Amino acid sequence: MASGVFESGKVVVEINILKPERFLNILWNENINVINVKRIDVATIQITIDYNYYEDVVQIVKRLNGKIKIVGSKGILFLVGKLKSKFFLTIGGGIFVILLLYFSTFVWSIEITTKQNVSPYEIRQQLYSLGIKPGISKKNINYKDIEKKLENMNSDILWLRARVEGSTLKITIDEKVNPPEVKEEKYGNLVAKMDGEVRRVYAFSGRSTVHTGEYVHAGDVIIEGINGKEEEPYEVVPDGVVMANTFYEKSMVAKVDGTELKRSGEKDSDIYLILFGKKIYIKKAIKDFKDYDKIEESGKLITKINYYEKIEFPIKLTREEIIDNSVKALEESLYNNLTREATIVDRIITTKDDSAENILINVVFIVEQNIVNNEPIDY
């Protein structure tokens, strides 16, 4: 049994038992001091006892097939317990505040504001070369020194300001504005920049030398820098558009049988932050994928690298579906190299078995686009 200060602890318990009177008689026979008895209903009573008798009361209740629960407590014992839990909570909160104040003395992100001519990526790399990167202590940052060195490193900077706000180093840059280039009007003729079959001609200045349906080669004159009658011609700056069908050939090998690597749906990740140039992992990838796609997501403070497992799947598509998907993939790769006004108007598709599992797909794309080289050439 407890003694001293712990004897001052008292608990209020609620007891559900078939014969409460018998239970109370047992308590008195066992010399267990009951301070207060309150009847809740026929089979339920509420009593107050010293805490050091609590275990004895529990055993008696169990012998009589009853139920007991604590509904209240008072005394120094429980006050000390509450203060103890609050003490550790206060200590934990104090440690958190100290760590927060400590980490607030470092710069964890760099924000760069520019306009048109200066790339934020270029400025970020120049800052890294000066030793200014996330994780640096604020006391190691000399604003004037950074501003002067960046101005010397980049001739496009007119003025810049470096300041720390919170845990972010903010770089604001005003750029030098060069006077617009005056395009010198040049006389001459416009020529074709590639082979093509003429579909439409728009001569805004000068006169066309080609007609719809005519096939022209790269370097042929298609708009002359001349206006006026045959007897009285005069030179002008040529300008116009000649839309023509041009031809691009692309090919690829596709599997039509066997297996192919595809994502299984399984994924794992590395999550870490960089402090003082070292990686501190919050989560480490534990799955060992034989084949995978690796995709990095970089944030201001935390970096996440995702690993997507790839396994062999049997090819279930038909030959026609595989050819159709391959043509679409070739078309997308072609569009990446075309100008905005260019349009694919037709496709000539040929296929050839490359092996028992592979097929060679060759596509000639017919693309309608402007074939005028806008830089006049003298003849």
Side-chain angles (χ1 to χ4, degrees):
M1 292 185 182
S3 61
V5 69
F6 296 104
E7 291 181 349
S8 62
K10 301 183 187 305
V11 290
V12 180
V13 294
E14 187 175 284
I15 299 163
N16 185 273
I17 202 164
L18 188 60
K19 295 180 178 180
E21 293 79 6
R22 181 188 175 195
F23 168 73
L24 291 174
N25 287 331
I26 293 173
L27 293 184
W28 290 325
N29 291 334
E30 294 285 341
N31 293 319
I32 296 174
N33 184 30
V34 178
I35 300 170
N36 187 28
V37 179
K38 179 180 179 183
R39 181 179 288 276
I40 306 299
D41 55 40
V42 175
T44 307
I45 60 173
Q46 192 177 92
I47 64 174
T48 303
I49 59 174
D50 291 334
Y51 177 71
N52 55 339
Y53 291 119
Y54 175 72
E55 290 297 331
D56 298 330
V57 173
V58 170
Q59 294 301 320
I60 295 170
V61 172
K62 286 183 178 180
R63 284 206 317 265
L64 298 176
N65 297 320
K67 295 180 182 180
I68 182 170
K69 65 177 179 180
I70 297 175
V71 295
S73 60
K74 55 187 176 179
I76 296 177
L77 171 64
F78 300 100
L79 178 61
V80 169
K82 291 178 181 178
L83 291 177
K84 187 177 179 181
S85 63
K86 289 183 178 180
F87 172 75
F88 285 113
L89 181 64
T90 304
I91 291 295
I95 293 173
F96 174 76
V97 171
I98 291 170
L99 287 175
L100 192 64
L101 292 174
Y102 173 71
F103 285 123
S104 69
T105 62
F106 295 89
V107 167
W108 297 112
S109 64
I110 300 175
E111 182 181 306
I112 300 170
T113 304
T114 62
K115 291 184 179 177
Q116 292 182 344
N117 300 322
V118 179
S119 164
Y121 175 80
E122 179 185 359
I123 299 299
R124 195 176 301 276
Q125 296 305 309
Q126 290 171 350
L127 285 170
Y128 284 0
S129 69
L130 297 174
I132 307 299
K133 58 183 65 176
I136 187 173
S137 175
K138 292 179 182 178
K139 66 181 181 180
N140 293 332
I141 298 177
N142 186 321
Y143 304 116
K144 296 297 181 183
D145 186 54
I146 293 173
E147 293 169 355
K148 184 177 180 181
K149 287 181 178 178
L150 283 179
E151 286 178 357
N152 292 336
M153 295 171 76
N154 199 315
S155 59
D156 289 326
I157 295 177
L158 176 65
W159 170 88
L160 70 90
R161 180 177 183 270
R163 289 294 182 271
V164 171
E165 295 183 13
S167 294
T168 302
L169 173 61
K170 294 191 175 183
I171 307 290
T172 305
I173 294 176
D174 270 349
E175 303 169 4
K176 293 179 181 177
V177 180
N178 297 321
E181 294 183 7
V182 179
K183 189 175 179 180
E184 183 182 355
E185 292 186 341
K186 186 176 179 181
Y187 294 95
N189 301 320
L190 297 179
V191 301
K193 59 185 177 183
M194 63 182 71
D195 297 353
E197 181 186 358
V198 177
R199 306 301 300 165
R200 299 185 300 280
V201 180
Y202 306 95
F204 307 130
S205 178
R207 59 191 181 192
S208 169
T209 62
V210 294
H211 304 88
T212 301
E214 186 177 343
Y215 195 89
V216 298
H217 298 277
D220 289 350
V221 175
I222 50 180
I223 297 179
E224 291 181 317
I226 297 175
N227 263 350
K229 299 179 180 179
E230 292 290 339
E231 312 83 45
E232 300 177 353
Y234 58 90
E235 280 192 302
V236 294
V237 177
D239 186 22
V241 173
V242 177
M243 301 299 293
N245 284 345
T246 57
F247 305 90
Y248 295 84
E249 186 173 1
K250 283 183 169 286
S251 61
M252 69 180 296
V253 175
K255 294 192 73 172
V256 293
D257 197 11
T259 61
E260 60 179 341
L261 276 175
K262 294 174 65 177
R263 291 186 182 181
S264 67
E266 287 292 321
K267 171 189 170 185
D268 205 353
S269 304
D270 284 332
I271 304 174
Y272 61 87
L273 52 87
I274 298 178
L275 292 177
F276 312 110
K278 293 184 178 181
K279 292 181 181 179
I280 298 178
Y281 281 89
I282 301 172
K283 179 183 178 299
K284 186 78 172 173
I286 57 174
K287 295 185 178 179
D288 186 17
F289 298 144
K290 181 180 177 182
D291 298 292
Y292 55 84
D293 287 333
K294 178 180 176 181
I295 299 177
E296 180 176 329
E297 300 175 6
S298 297
K300 290 184 177 181
L301 182 58
I302 296 176
T303 299
K304 184 177 183 182
I305 299 178
N306 295 317
Y307 301 94
Y308 299 91
E309 184 187 31
K310 297 179 73 177
I311 61 175
E312 295 281 352
F313 283 95
I315 295 174
K316 296 182 179 179
L317 297 177
T318 65
R319 182 185 178 94
E320 290 71 24
E321 289 173 330
I322 292 171
I323 293 173
D324 187 52
N325 291 341
S326 300
V327 171
K328 288 179 180 177
L330 292 173
E331 185 174 312
E332 288 179 5
S333 69
L334 175 61
Y335 264 123
N336 291 333
N337 299 320
L338 296 177
T339 54
R340 280 189 174 183
E341 86 281 350
T343 306
I344 297 176
V345 295
D346 203 359
R347 303 155 191 82
I348 301 172
I349 304 169
T350 57
T351 61
K352 178 181 178 183
D353 289 333
D354 191 49
S355 66
E357 294 184 351
N358 298 331
I359 182 174
L360 176 64
I361 302 164
N362 189 81
V363 185
V364 176
F365 293 97
I366 301 174
V367 179
E368 185 180 271
Q369 61 182 315
N370 180 22
I371 63 170
V372 174
N373 185 341
N374 290 317
E375 188 67 27
I377 299 176
D378 292 327
Y379 281 90

